[in-house]
Amino acid sequence: MAREELRRLVILGPPASGKGTQGELLAKALDIPHISTGQLLRWSIEEEGDPHGVKDTVAQGGRVPDEVIQEILLPELGERFLLDGFPRSPRQAERLDRLLGEGRRHLDAAIELQLDDETLVVRMVLRADAEHRTDDRAEVFLRRLADYNRDIVGLRGHYDGLLVQVDGHGDEDEVLTRILEALRRHGKESSDTDLPVLEALRAGDETAFAGLVDRYGSSMLRLATMWVGRRAVAEEVVQETWLGILQGLERFEGRSTLKTWMFRILANTAKKRAAREGRMIPFSALSDPLHEPSEPAVEPERFGEPGGRHPGSWVSIPHSWQDLPAERLESRETMGVIGGAIAGLPPTQREVIRMRDVEGLSSKEACNVLGISETNQRVLLHRARSRVRRALERHLNPSSPAQGDAR
C-alpha cells in the first residue's frame, strides 16, 4: 500500500513495546498526526488538574473509562492520524469504529508490535529507572501486561484483514523499517483474481456464486463440523455463512483475500452456534502453547546419551518412506491412522493442523480465522505434526522405537 493511501492507522503493542516511539517515527515518515492517548491523559492530569479524576487509575495501571478516553480523543481524530494507546480491547475497538463511522471514515491498517515477555520486563526495569513512571512499577506493569495478553486475541480477530504484525525486537530504525515494509505489502493480499469474482457476485451473477460454493463448500462444511460437532448443525452453519457473505459483499473492501474474509465469517458463525449449544470452549481460553512445557519433535531416547560413546548422535535413524509403495502410503488404513492421530490431538493443535494441512489455509489465513499470533500458530502446528508423524512412523515401521502417542 502506497504511503499516500495510509491515512488512518492504529498501533498496538504490549507495555514497553516501544509503540509510542514507533508511533512518533512512523507518523513522521508518513506525514500524519501522531495521537497518543497516554500522553493526552498525562497532559490532562498534569496540566489541567485531573478534571476526570483518573490520576490514581493511571498510576495503578488500571483502565480509564472509555467515556473519558472518548472525550479527550474525539477532538484529535481528524481525517488523518496514527493512534497509539487506544483501542486496548475489542469493546474499545468497536467504540472507535463507531466514532469513525459517524464521519464515514475507516481504518487503513492496525499495526501490532510483537515481543516476548522477557524482553518487555527488561525494558520495563530500564524505563522505570530512567523515567520514574508510576505505571512502570513491577506489580503494575505485570498486571498491564497480563491484561494486554488477554485482550490482544480479541483485537486480532476484530481487525482481521487490517492487521499488520511486526517483530518489535531490535533498535528503533530496524523496527521502523520492518513496519514500513509490512505496510507496503499490506493491501496487496487480495489477489487480482478476486476482483472479477467480486464484481460478478455484486452484479448478482448466480454462476459466479455457484462456482464459489463448489470451490469452498466442502472445506467450509468440514471446518464447521470441527466446531459444532454434528454434520446437520454444520450444514446449517454453512448455509448461514453463505447468507452472511452475500449480505456483506458491499462492505468487503478487499483488505484481505476473499477466502480469508469468507472463512472468518464461517468461524464466527460456527463459534456462535457452538456457544449457544454449549459445545464450545473459545480457542483463546485454551492453553497458551508458549507457556506449556516444550515437547521434543523426536524422542530423546533415540539419541546417544551425553556420557556415551556418541553423545547426541542417532541411536535409531528414522526410516525413509520414499521407497515405500505409494499404494501403502495412500491406503485407507494409512489415511485412517492419520485421521485418528489428528482427532486425538489437543483441541488447539487439532484446529491448526486441520486448517493448515487438511484444508490448505496459509499461515496468515489460519491466524486470522483463529485469532492467534503467528508464533502460537507455528508452535501448535509443529507439535501437531510431530505427534502425527510419530503415529504414522509406528504404523509404517512397526519395529521403530518411536514412543508416545498422538494424544
Side-chain angles (χ1 to χ4, degrees), residues 212 216 220 241-242 245 252 256-267:
L212 214 57
Y216 296 116
M220 285 183 165
T241 298
W242 285 119
I245 290 168
F252 178 63
S256 66
T257 63
L258 181 62
K259 178 183 176 182
T260 297
W261 177 70
M262 289 168 43
F263 275 73
R264 187 65 186 175
I265 294 175
L266 172 74

Side-chain angles (χ1 to χ4, degrees), residues 78-95:
E79 281 299 310
R80 305 172 72 246
F81 60 80
L82 191 156
L83 176 61
D84 88 64
F86 188 89
R88 293 188 178 184
S89 68
R91 186 179 68 178
Q92 290 184 349
E94 292 171 359
R95 182 179 289 267

Side-chain angles (χ1 to χ4, degrees), residues 279-397:
R279 293 176 174 269
M280 178 189 166
I281 300 175
F283 193 96
S284 59
L286 298 175
S287 57
D288 182 351
L290 298 182
H291 292 87
E292 294 177 351
S294 60
E295 300 176 7
V298 180
E299 296 75 14
E301 57 267 25
R302 300 187 69 177
F303 301 98
E305 297 181 358
R309 183 175 179 182
H310 301 290
S313 62
W314 283 100
V315 172
S316 171
I317 299 175
H319 289 79
S320 172
W321 296 339
Q322 293 181 354
D323 297 329
L324 289 175
E327 294 79 8
R328 187 177 183 195
L329 289 173
E330 298 172 1
S331 69
R332 180 177 298 179
E333 184 181 4
T334 298
M335 292 300 103
V337 169
I338 295 173
I342 291 176
L345 291 170
T348 50
Q349 295 181 21
R350 184 171 63 243
E351 291 192 24
V352 170
I353 197 172
R354 280 180 172 169
M355 287 190 177
R356 292 296 313 281
D357 293 346
V358 179
E359 302 303 333
L361 273 67
S362 69
S363 171
K364 187 166 185 177
E365 287 170 337
C367 289
N368 284 337
V369 172
L370 295 174
I372 59 176
S373 71
E374 169 63 26
T375 301
N376 278 13
Q377 183 270 159
R378 187 167 56 249
V379 172
L380 289 166
L381 182 60
H382 168 72
R383 292 180 178 176
R385 285 173 173 171
S386 296
R387 291 185 175 195
V388 172
R389 190 190 192 286
R390 286 200 293 270
L392 192 56
E393 185 175 9
R394 288 196 305 274
H395 168 67
L396 295 174
N397 307 107

Side-chain angles (χ1 to χ4, degrees), residues 199-212:
E199 291 174 358
L201 291 172
R202 287 168 174 165
D205 188 328
E206 294 183 4
T207 302
F209 179 71
L212 214 57

Side-chain angles (χ1 to χ4, degrees), residues 19-59:
K19 63 179 177 292
T21 299
Q22 289 302 322
E24 292 178 0
L25 295 174
L26 184 59
K28 184 176 180 180
L30 299 177
D31 192 26
I32 58 178
H34 173 228
I35 304 173
S36 167
T37 55
Q39 289 181 355
L40 289 174
L41 281 171
R42 285 190 286 271
W43 183 85
S44 174
I45 292 170
E46 296 169 5
E47 302 297 328
E48 295 189 338
D50 192 20
H52 304 291
V54 295
K55 181 178 180 179
D56 290 340
T57 301
V58 173

Side-chain angles (χ1 to χ4, degrees), residues 104-327:
R104 296 187 176 181
R105 297 166 292 178
H106 60 78
L107 288 178
D108 295 309
I111 303 158
E112 180 195 350
L113 296 179
Q114 297 187 312
L115 298 94
D116 60 80
D117 290 355
E118 291 77 8
T119 298
L120 294 170
V121 171
V122 171
R123 288 188 178 185
M124 177 275 295
V125 172
L126 295 175
R127 189 172 72 176
D129 183 61
E131 300 180 16
H132 305 291
R133 282 174 45 170
T134 57
D135 55 348
D136 274 345
R137 297 198 312 274
E139 67 276 11
V140 175
F141 177 85
L142 293 175
R143 183 165 60 250
R144 293 171 60 211
L145 182 57
D147 288 344
Y148 176 85
N149 288 335
R150 179 195 64 217
D151 291 333
I152 188 59
V153 175
L155 282 170
R156 289 182 186 127
H158 183 88
Y159 287 128
D160 174 44
L162 293 178
L163 195 63
V164 177
Q165 295 178 311
V166 178
D167 180 2
H169 298 87
D171 64 35
E172 297 172 0
D173 291 337
E174 289 174 341
V175 177
L176 178 62
T177 299
R178 290 190 204 116
I179 295 175
L180 291 172
E181 175 59 23
L183 289 172
R184 185 188 67 79
R185 296 192 305 267
H186 179 66
K188 295 183 179 180
E189 293 288 329
S190 287
S191 169
D192 290 341
T193 58
D194 281 348
L195 298 179
V197 175
L198 277 171
E199 291 174 358
L201 291 172
R202 287 168 174 165
D205 188 328
E206 294 183 4
T207 302
F209 179 71
L212 214 57
V213 173
D214 289 341
R215 184 176 180 184
Y216 296 116
S218 297
S219 295
M220 285 183 165
L221 183 59
R222 286 193 294 269
L223 287 175
T225 304
M226 182 176 72
W227 276 298
V228 300
R230 291 188 292 133
R231 183 181 176 89
V233 178
E235 289 174 347
E236 294 177 3
V237 167
V238 172
Q239 292 176 1
E240 188 176 345
T241 298
W242 285 119
L243 180 60
I245 290 168
L246 290 174
Q247 292 175 339
L249 282 172
E250 293 302 323
R251 298 191 299 274
F252 178 63
E253 299 179 346
R255 299 180 185 279
S256 66
T257 63
L258 181 62
K259 178 183 176 182
T260 297
W261 177 70
M262 289 168 43
F263 275 73
R264 187 65 186 175
I265 294 175
L266 172 74
N268 289 336
T269 304
K271 290 175 182 178
K272 289 178 182 177
R273 181 62 179 268
R276 287 204 305 270
E277 299 196 357
R279 293 176 174 269
M280 178 189 166
I281 300 175
F283 193 96
S284 59
L286 298 175
S287 57
D288 182 351
L290 298 182
H291 292 87
E292 294 177 351
S294 60
E295 300 176 7
V298 180
E299 296 75 14
E301 57 267 25
R302 300 187 69 177
F303 301 98
E305 297 181 358
R309 183 175 179 182
H310 301 290
S313 62
W314 283 100
V315 172
S316 171
I317 299 175
H319 289 79
S320 172
W321 296 339
Q322 293 181 354
D323 297 329
L324 289 175
E327 294 79 8

